[in-house]
């Protein structure tokens, strides 16, 4: 029988005692931010648990990592500390443990309805990198922009392609996304023009949250890369396809991407995801030795994208994919990122790139779903080629366990027009 | 007659009383970092001046901006504060002002030989962006890689092209640069291989240090962009041309650039540079209205690159250029960066891109100087196509005023081999 908490957790909840994802929140608008863990519809205030002396393991006793405004210090400490924290929290929340269950005063202080708190970015993001690691996404983009001759470029099969994104505009789920303005250049003879993007898109992604970093000049070995991964979040790499198309040659995406990137508030740890590990796709050609791992694994995380137009009460599902489709693994991405000596820091985000599956219904962005606006998508009767003002896009992700669900909650943002 | 300091400053010094660039330093290895200003061969400890109550203007009185480990807080406050600080410091250091000149105890505490202190990164860099704004550099790269047909792509003339670089690996002048390893793919049929870069290069650049930032979704108007620029530094965007060539399509440079970026320790303010403002090159086609400025200006800053091979006592000058050659101005870069709503933060770096002049001797990187290794450069008898281990590369920059020099000091790094 599955482990249970003394807190009532619905079977469909993303946050049973098997999950215990970390976030940062403010109980009141005037409170200081502090780390918390999601349990059912509640958040456990780790600063209170810490102040009560309940982190009593050898590594976290007397530590101030949970009296910080972000998770960077905690996640910098590495897996032995994470395992100790998880064991402590899981025990405290379990149905059979009286310490918290039977202490009404402490429960009152430390268990808050998540609906009553403000969730914040869980980490200070030093650098945000975005990979391009789904073969299906890559192939579809190649077919759309270059045709059937050679949709996947040669280098793609040899290394996990990536670009540096913008750290300053990473925002938490629920933040409105202001439609960007910029230059675009329609094909044909007319000159470039300036205006609000007409091809605003989402990208269904997840991201690695880096735990311990590495020193400049000291690459992380592929077989140690997992030790540098604290956990995963959902990530929406909002993209303005018209701005991107005009600007990106030869130095890559810039203003077409850096106006906003939304992440989900809860970081789900690799410990919670371990039961859902699966074999990664076979790589052909085989990667170079520095990218060859003893065990090549993905996680089978079901992913969905929902869009709710302003005119509708309910959202429509527009795609269903899975992280298991990723060609380059999270550990290959991380090891590759450091192979030249580049230093990662705790809290860095490594986006996976758009996660498309093999089926047309599993395409991870509107560019693919509408084939760059050639087709329309029907949202319960409303047509969409790209996002309209008022559209609310929600990514969600979960793994179905035996009698429980490990989920990521929502990663949402609503499109609003730019100020005139 | 030019303003003089009571401190003896050599005519050739980069740091007369007309300059007063800001940096951050530690007097002793165990001291806390604090802001300082360069004057001749000394650094003025602003934390001491502040503690002595000498910042007595209306804006900085009782402020703690100089009791911080970096300049971010000070530079976030904007030009009126910067002008007040400059006036206070310039007066304190002037030959005719007794306050500091005649106070031996305070002089002892606050004026330290720069050779005795450790200089640190002056700002915490939230995001580092690198532009591509020199027409001569762009044209040369196009000629080398695509031939004479169409060396400059159409979009280049319409917008300041840029990519996001890596903030974590921005290092201060004097930090060794470890030769990166990575994948490269020689043209021809052979597969990609892994090893130390064989085409390691410097790039002669400068960078804007952003002062006040802007809110997400609120672009900076082109005619207010200057108010967001605190000052400039020298920047060497070290580049591994072989890694870059294989990885950069379609998302731009990544591991070919992010192993290290060196900046000079002193931020020279726009106030100090104002006498050296000059008209920027005429732009044809004219830019879109959001990039059209009332006054389009560059600064005439002479730039040099010196290389000292390990075998030599002295360095050789390999290029002489000037910031005045920049096609897209610093204010156009900043306004463009925010036009989609992207938010800048105090301390962000906006690199200019390699600054090449029209003459072959004014090319800003070895790629151009040796035409991608087709020719050799002679360093006092030693041949160079790309950088060798032990080579020390120094960028320097200065403006010649009437009886004084406003300079940036040195931006140096020595190439060392990677650990085996
Ligand atoms: Ca993406
Ligand atoms: Ca550059
Ligand atoms: Mg984005
Ligand atoms: Mg660099
Ligand atoms: Ni055209």
């Amino acid at each position: 029988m599955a482990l249970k908490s003394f807190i009532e957790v619905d079977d469909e909840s993303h946050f049973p005692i098997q999950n215990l994802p970390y976030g940062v929140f403010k109980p009141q608008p005037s409170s200081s931010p502090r780390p918390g863990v999601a349990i059912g519809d509640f958040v456990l205030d780790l600063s209170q648990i810490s102040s009560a002396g309940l982190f009593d393991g050898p590594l976290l006793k007397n530590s101030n990592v949970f009296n910080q405004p972000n998770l960077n210090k905690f996640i910098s400490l590495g897996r032995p500390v994470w395992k100790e924290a998880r064991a402590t929290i899981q025990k405290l929340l379990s149905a059979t443990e009286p310490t918290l269950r039977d202490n009404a005063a402490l429960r009152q202080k430390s268990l808050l309805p998540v609906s009553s708190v403000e969730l914040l970015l869980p980490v200070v993001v030093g650098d945000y990198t975005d990979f391009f690691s789904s073969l299906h996404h890559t192939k579809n983009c190649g077919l759309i922009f270059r045709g059937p001759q050679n949709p996947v470029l040669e280098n793609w099969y040899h290394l996990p392609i990536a670009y540096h994104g913008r750290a300053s505009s990473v925002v938490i789920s629920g933040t409105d996304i202001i439609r960007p303005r910029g230059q675009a250049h329609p094909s044909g003879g007319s000159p470039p023009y300036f205006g609000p993007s007409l091809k605003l898109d989402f990208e269904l992604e997840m991201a690695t949250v880096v735990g311990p970093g590495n020193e400049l000049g000291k690459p992380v070995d592929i077989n140690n890369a997992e030790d540098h991964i604290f956990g995963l979040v959902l990530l929406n790499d909002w993209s303005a396809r018209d701005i991107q198309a005009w600007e990106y040659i030869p130095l890559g995406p810039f203003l077409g991407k850096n106006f906003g990137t939304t992440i989900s508030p809860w970081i789900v740890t690799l410990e919670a995801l371990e039961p859902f590990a699966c074999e990664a796709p076979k790589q052909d050609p085989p990667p170079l030795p520095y990218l060859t791992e003893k065990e090549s694994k993905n996680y089978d995380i079901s992913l969905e994208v929902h869009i709710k137009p302003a005119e509708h009460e309910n959202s429509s599902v527009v795609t269903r994919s899975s992280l298991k489709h990723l060609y380059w693994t999270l550990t290959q991405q991380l090891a590759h990122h450091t192979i030249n000596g580049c230093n990662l820091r705790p809290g860095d985000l490594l986006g996976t790139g758009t996660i498309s599956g093999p089926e047309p219904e599993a395409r991870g962005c509107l560019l693919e779903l509408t084939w760059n606006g050639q087709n329309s998508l029907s949202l319960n009767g409303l047509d969409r080629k790209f996002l309209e003002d008022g559209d609310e896009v929600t990514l969600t992700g979960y793994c179905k366990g035996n009698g429980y669900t490990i989920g990521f909650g929502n990663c949402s943002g609503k499109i609003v027009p730019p100020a005139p």
Side-chain angles (χ1 to χ4, degrees), chain A residues 176-181 196-200 238 307-312 379 382-384 386-393 413-419:
Chain A
D176 285 346
I177 296 296
I178 300 170
R179 181 180 296 274
R181 292 184 292 185
S197 170
L198 302 176
K199 291 191 170 184
L200 188 53
W238 304 96
I307 300 181
K308 194 188 93 51
E311 303 91 316
H312 288 177
L379 305 179
L382 269 184
D383 276 359
R384 278 294 176 278
F386 288 99
L387 296 171
E388 303 282 343
D389 290 345
D391 284 356
E392 186 174 7
V393 180
K414 192 171 76 184
I415 307 301
V416 299

Short mmCIF file of all heavy atoms in Angstrom, two decimals, chain A residues 176-181 196-200 238 307-312 379 382-384 386-393 413-419:
data_model
loop_
_atom_site.label_atom_id
_atom_site.label_comp_id
_atom_site.label_asym_id
_atom_site.label_seq_id
_atom_site.Cartn_x
_atom_site.Cartn_y
_atom_site.Cartn_z
N ASP A 176 1.16 37.59 -16.55
CA ASP A 176 0.70 37.91 -17.90
C ASP A 176 1.89 38.08 -18.84
O ASP A 176 2.94 38.56 -18.44
CB ASP A 176 -0.11 39.22 -17.91
CG ASP A 176 -1.51 39.03 -17.33
OD1 ASP A 176 -1.95 37.87 -17.17
OD2 ASP A 176 -2.14 40.06 -17.02
N ILE A 177 1.68 37.69 -20.08
CA ILE A 177 2.72 37.85 -21.11
C ILE A 177 2.26 38.95 -22.06
O ILE A 177 1.21 38.84 -22.70
CB ILE A 177 2.94 36.52 -21.86
CG1 ILE A 177 3.47 35.45 -20.90
CG2 ILE A 177 3.89 36.71 -23.05
CD1 ILE A 177 4.84 35.73 -20.30
N ILE A 178 3.07 40.00 -22.11
CA ILE A 178 2.73 41.14 -22.97
C ILE A 178 3.20 40.82 -24.39
O ILE A 178 4.37 40.50 -24.61
CB ILE A 178 3.40 42.42 -22.43
CG1 ILE A 178 2.90 42.70 -21.00
CG2 ILE A 178 3.14 43.60 -23.36
CD1 ILE A 178 3.65 43.79 -20.28
N ARG A 179 2.27 40.88 -25.31
CA ARG A 179 2.63 40.61 -26.71
C ARG A 179 3.78 41.52 -27.13
O ARG A 179 3.70 42.75 -27.01
CB ARG A 179 1.41 40.88 -27.60
CG ARG A 179 1.65 40.61 -29.10
CD ARG A 179 0.40 40.90 -29.93
NE ARG A 179 -0.68 39.99 -29.55
CZ ARG A 179 -0.86 38.76 -30.05
NH1 ARG A 179 -0.03 38.31 -30.98
NH2 ARG A 179 -1.84 38.01 -29.62
N PRO A 180 4.87 40.94 -27.60
CA PRO A 180 6.03 41.77 -27.97
C PRO A 180 5.80 42.50 -29.27
O PRO A 180 5.08 42.03 -30.14
CB PRO A 180 7.15 40.73 -28.13
CG PRO A 180 6.45 39.48 -28.54
CD PRO A 180 5.12 39.50 -27.81
N ARG A 181 6.43 43.65 -29.38
CA ARG A 181 6.49 44.34 -30.67
C ARG A 181 7.89 44.18 -31.23
O ARG A 181 8.85 43.96 -30.49
CB ARG A 181 6.13 45.81 -30.48
CG ARG A 181 4.66 45.97 -30.09
CD ARG A 181 4.24 47.41 -30.00
NE ARG A 181 4.89 48.06 -28.88
CZ ARG A 181 4.62 49.30 -28.50
NH1 ARG A 181 3.73 50.02 -29.15
NH2 ARG A 181 5.23 49.84 -27.47
N PRO A 196 3.21 44.89 -33.37
CA PRO A 196 3.02 43.76 -32.46
C PRO A 196 3.20 42.45 -33.24
O PRO A 196 2.80 42.36 -34.41
CB PRO A 196 1.57 43.91 -32.00
CG PRO A 196 1.18 45.32 -32.30
CD PRO A 196 2.00 45.73 -33.48
N SER A 197 3.80 41.48 -32.61
CA SER A 197 4.00 40.18 -33.27
C SER A 197 2.67 39.61 -33.71
O SER A 197 1.69 39.61 -32.96
CB SER A 197 4.68 39.20 -32.31
OG SER A 197 4.67 37.89 -32.87
N LEU A 198 2.64 39.09 -34.93
CA LEU A 198 1.43 38.45 -35.47
C LEU A 198 1.55 36.93 -35.40
O LEU A 198 0.65 36.22 -35.83
CB LEU A 198 1.22 38.89 -36.92
CG LEU A 198 1.09 40.40 -37.12
CD1 LEU A 198 0.98 40.75 -38.60
CD2 LEU A 198 -0.13 40.94 -36.35
N LYS A 199 2.67 36.44 -34.92
CA LYS A 199 2.89 34.99 -34.85
C LYS A 199 3.40 34.60 -33.48
O LYS A 199 4.48 34.01 -33.35
CB LYS A 199 3.88 34.56 -35.93
CG LYS A 199 3.34 34.66 -37.36
CD LYS A 199 4.31 33.95 -38.31
CE LYS A 199 3.72 33.79 -39.70
NZ LYS A 199 4.64 33.03 -40.59
N LEU A 200 2.58 34.91 -32.47
CA LEU A 200 2.99 34.61 -31.10
C LEU A 200 2.66 33.15 -30.79
O LEU A 200 1.56 32.67 -31.09
CB LEU A 200 2.26 35.57 -30.15
CG LEU A 200 2.68 35.54 -28.69
CD1 LEU A 200 4.19 35.72 -28.53
CD2 LEU A 200 1.95 36.64 -27.92
N TRP A 238 7.93 31.14 -24.65
CA TRP A 238 7.11 31.97 -25.55
C TRP A 238 7.97 32.47 -26.71
O TRP A 238 9.10 32.92 -26.50
CB TRP A 238 6.55 33.18 -24.78
CG TRP A 238 5.76 32.84 -23.57
CD1 TRP A 238 6.22 32.80 -22.28
CD2 TRP A 238 4.36 32.50 -23.51
NE1 TRP A 238 5.19 32.45 -21.43
CE2 TRP A 238 4.04 32.26 -22.15
CE3 TRP A 238 3.35 32.38 -24.47
CZ2 TRP A 238 2.76 31.92 -21.72
CZ3 TRP A 238 2.07 32.03 -24.04
CH2 TRP A 238 1.79 31.80 -22.70
N ILE A 307 -5.28 25.57 -24.03
CA ILE A 307 -5.48 27.00 -24.33
C ILE A 307 -6.92 27.37 -23.98
O ILE A 307 -7.86 26.68 -24.37
CB ILE A 307 -5.21 27.32 -25.82
CG1 ILE A 307 -3.76 26.96 -26.18
CG2 ILE A 307 -5.48 28.81 -26.11
CD1 ILE A 307 -3.39 27.27 -27.64
N LYS A 308 -7.04 28.45 -23.24
CA LYS A 308 -8.37 28.99 -22.92
C LYS A 308 -8.51 30.37 -23.55
O LYS A 308 -7.90 31.35 -23.09
CB LYS A 308 -8.57 29.09 -21.41
CG LYS A 308 -10.06 29.32 -21.03
CD LYS A 308 -10.25 29.60 -19.57
CE LYS A 308 -10.23 31.10 -19.28
NZ LYS A 308 -11.13 31.94 -20.09
N PRO A 309 -9.29 30.48 -24.63
CA PRO A 309 -9.51 31.81 -25.22
C PRO A 309 -10.36 32.65 -24.26
O PRO A 309 -11.11 32.11 -23.45
CB PRO A 309 -10.30 31.51 -26.50
CG PRO A 309 -10.18 30.02 -26.72
CD PRO A 309 -10.00 29.42 -25.37
N ALA A 310 -10.21 33.96 -24.37
CA ALA A 310 -10.97 34.87 -23.50
C ALA A 310 -12.47 34.60 -23.58
O ALA A 310 -13.19 34.71 -22.59
CB ALA A 310 -10.67 36.32 -23.87
N GLU A 311 -12.95 34.21 -24.80
CA GLU A 311 -14.39 34.01 -25.00
C GLU A 311 -14.91 32.74 -24.35
O GLU A 311 -16.11 32.54 -24.27
CB GLU A 311 -14.71 33.92 -26.51
CG GLU A 311 -14.27 35.10 -27.34
CD GLU A 311 -12.87 34.93 -27.91
OE1 GLU A 311 -11.97 34.48 -27.16
OE2 GLU A 311 -12.68 35.24 -29.09
N HIS A 312 -14.03 31.82 -23.96
CA HIS A 312 -14.48 30.52 -23.46
C HIS A 312 -14.36 30.41 -21.94
O HIS A 312 -13.49 31.02 -21.33
CB HIS A 312 -13.68 29.39 -24.11
CG HIS A 312 -14.01 29.16 -25.55
ND1 HIS A 312 -13.37 28.23 -26.33
CD2 HIS A 312 -14.94 29.75 -26.36
CE1 HIS A 312 -13.87 28.25 -27.55
NE2 HIS A 312 -14.81 29.17 -27.61
N LEU A 379 -10.24 25.46 -31.45
CA LEU A 379 -10.38 25.45 -29.99
C LEU A 379 -11.87 25.46 -29.70
O LEU A 379 -12.47 26.53 -29.56
CB LEU A 379 -9.73 26.67 -29.35
CG LEU A 379 -8.27 26.95 -29.66
CD1 LEU A 379 -7.82 28.21 -28.94
CD2 LEU A 379 -7.42 25.77 -29.22
N LEU A 382 -13.43 27.73 -32.10
CA LEU A 382 -12.69 28.96 -32.44
C LEU A 382 -11.40 28.60 -33.18
O LEU A 382 -10.66 27.74 -32.72
CB LEU A 382 -12.30 29.70 -31.16
CG LEU A 382 -13.21 30.76 -30.58
CD1 LEU A 382 -12.53 31.40 -29.37
CD2 LEU A 382 -13.57 31.83 -31.62
N ASP A 383 -11.12 29.27 -34.26
CA ASP A 383 -9.91 28.97 -35.02
C ASP A 383 -8.67 29.68 -34.46
O ASP A 383 -8.77 30.85 -34.06
CB ASP A 383 -10.08 29.43 -36.47
CG ASP A 383 -10.80 28.37 -37.29
OD1 ASP A 383 -11.13 27.30 -36.73
OD2 ASP A 383 -11.03 28.62 -38.50
N ARG A 384 -7.57 28.98 -34.48
CA ARG A 384 -6.31 29.58 -34.08
C ARG A 384 -5.20 29.15 -35.02
O ARG A 384 -5.05 27.96 -35.30
CB ARG A 384 -5.89 29.09 -32.67
CG ARG A 384 -6.51 29.79 -31.52
CD ARG A 384 -6.08 31.24 -31.41
NE ARG A 384 -6.78 31.89 -30.32
CZ ARG A 384 -8.01 32.39 -30.41
NH1 ARG A 384 -8.69 32.31 -31.53
NH2 ARG A 384 -8.55 32.98 -29.36
N PHE A 386 -2.12 31.34 -34.56
CA PHE A 386 -1.18 31.71 -33.51
C PHE A 386 -1.99 32.27 -32.34
O PHE A 386 -3.22 32.33 -32.42
CB PHE A 386 -0.13 32.70 -34.04
CG PHE A 386 0.85 32.02 -34.97
CD1 PHE A 386 0.71 32.12 -36.35
CD2 PHE A 386 1.88 31.24 -34.47
CE1 PHE A 386 1.59 31.46 -37.21
CE2 PHE A 386 2.76 30.57 -35.32
CZ PHE A 386 2.61 30.68 -36.69
N LEU A 387 -1.30 32.67 -31.27
CA LEU A 387 -2.02 33.10 -30.06
C LEU A 387 -2.66 34.47 -30.24
O LEU A 387 -2.06 35.38 -30.84
CB LEU A 387 -1.08 33.10 -28.85
CG LEU A 387 -0.53 31.72 -28.47
CD1 LEU A 387 0.56 31.85 -27.40
CD2 LEU A 387 -1.66 30.81 -27.98
N GLU A 388 -3.87 34.61 -29.71
CA GLU A 388 -4.59 35.90 -29.72
C GLU A 388 -4.53 36.51 -28.32
O GLU A 388 -4.36 35.80 -27.33
CB GLU A 388 -6.06 35.66 -30.10
CG GLU A 388 -6.28 34.94 -31.42
CD GLU A 388 -6.10 35.87 -32.63
OE1 GLU A 388 -6.13 37.09 -32.45
OE2 GLU A 388 -5.92 35.34 -33.74
N ASP A 389 -4.72 37.81 -28.26
CA ASP A 389 -4.81 38.48 -26.96
C ASP A 389 -5.93 37.83 -26.15
O ASP A 389 -7.01 37.55 -26.68
CB ASP A 389 -5.08 39.98 -27.12
CG ASP A 389 -3.88 40.71 -27.71
OD1 ASP A 389 -2.77 40.13 -27.72
OD2 ASP A 389 -4.05 41.85 -28.16
N GLY A 390 -5.68 37.62 -24.89
CA GLY A 390 -6.67 36.99 -24.02
C GLY A 390 -6.54 35.48 -23.91
O GLY A 390 -7.09 34.87 -23.00
N ASP A 391 -5.80 34.86 -24.82
CA ASP A 391 -5.58 33.42 -24.72
C ASP A 391 -4.74 33.12 -23.48
O ASP A 391 -3.70 33.76 -23.26
CB ASP A 391 -4.80 32.90 -25.95
CG ASP A 391 -5.67 32.78 -27.20
OD1 ASP A 391 -6.89 33.02 -27.10
OD2 ASP A 391 -5.12 32.45 -28.26
N GLU A 392 -5.19 32.13 -22.72
CA GLU A 392 -4.39 31.69 -21.58
C GLU A 392 -3.85 30.30 -21.91
O GLU A 392 -4.62 29.37 -22.19
CB GLU A 392 -5.24 31.64 -20.31
CG GLU A 392 -4.39 31.31 -19.09
CD GLU A 392 -5.16 31.40 -17.78
OE1 GLU A 392 -6.39 31.59 -17.81
OE2 GLU A 392 -4.51 31.27 -16.73
N VAL A 393 -2.53 30.17 -21.89
CA VAL A 393 -1.88 28.91 -22.24
C VAL A 393 -1.39 28.25 -20.95
O VAL A 393 -0.70 28.88 -20.16
CB VAL A 393 -0.68 29.13 -23.19
CG1 VAL A 393 -0.01 27.81 -23.54
CG2 VAL A 393 -1.13 29.86 -24.45
N GLY A 413 0.17 31.26 -18.55
CA GLY A 413 0.35 32.68 -18.83
C GLY A 413 -0.71 33.13 -19.80
O GLY A 413 -1.09 32.38 -20.70
N LYS A 414 -1.20 34.35 -19.60
CA LYS A 414 -2.24 34.89 -20.48
C LYS A 414 -1.63 36.00 -21.33
O LYS A 414 -0.85 36.83 -20.83
CB LYS A 414 -3.39 35.46 -19.64
CG LYS A 414 -4.63 35.78 -20.47
CD LYS A 414 -5.81 36.14 -19.60
CE LYS A 414 -5.65 37.54 -19.06
NZ LYS A 414 -6.74 37.89 -18.13
N ILE A 415 -2.00 36.02 -22.61
CA ILE A 415 -1.47 37.03 -23.53
C ILE A 415 -2.24 38.32 -23.36
O ILE A 415 -3.48 38.33 -23.44
CB ILE A 415 -1.61 36.56 -24.99
CG1 ILE A 415 -0.98 35.18 -25.19
CG2 ILE A 415 -1.00 37.58 -25.95
CD1 ILE A 415 0.48 35.10 -24.84
N VAL A 416 -1.53 39.41 -23.14
CA VAL A 416 -2.17 40.72 -23.07
C VAL A 416 -1.52 41.64 -24.11
O VAL A 416 -0.36 41.44 -24.47
CB VAL A 416 -2.08 41.35 -21.66
CG1 VAL A 416 -2.78 40.47 -20.62
CG2 VAL A 416 -0.64 41.60 -21.25
N PRO A 417 -2.29 42.59 -24.64
CA PRO A 417 -1.72 43.45 -25.68
C PRO A 417 -0.69 44.41 -25.09
O PRO A 417 -0.75 44.74 -23.90
CB PRO A 417 -2.93 44.22 -26.21
CG PRO A 417 -3.96 44.15 -25.13
CD PRO A 417 -3.70 42.91 -24.34
N PRO A 418 0.25 44.88 -25.91
CA PRO A 418 1.22 45.86 -25.41
C PRO A 418 0.52 47.20 -25.19
O PRO A 418 -0.51 47.46 -25.79
CB PRO A 418 2.24 45.96 -26.55
CG PRO A 418 1.52 45.53 -27.78
CD PRO A 418 0.45 44.55 -27.34
N ALA A 419 1.08 48.02 -24.31
CA ALA A 419 0.57 49.39 -24.12
C ALA A 419 0.68 50.10 -25.47
O ALA A 419 1.61 49.86 -26.22
CB ALA A 419 1.38 50.11 -23.06
#
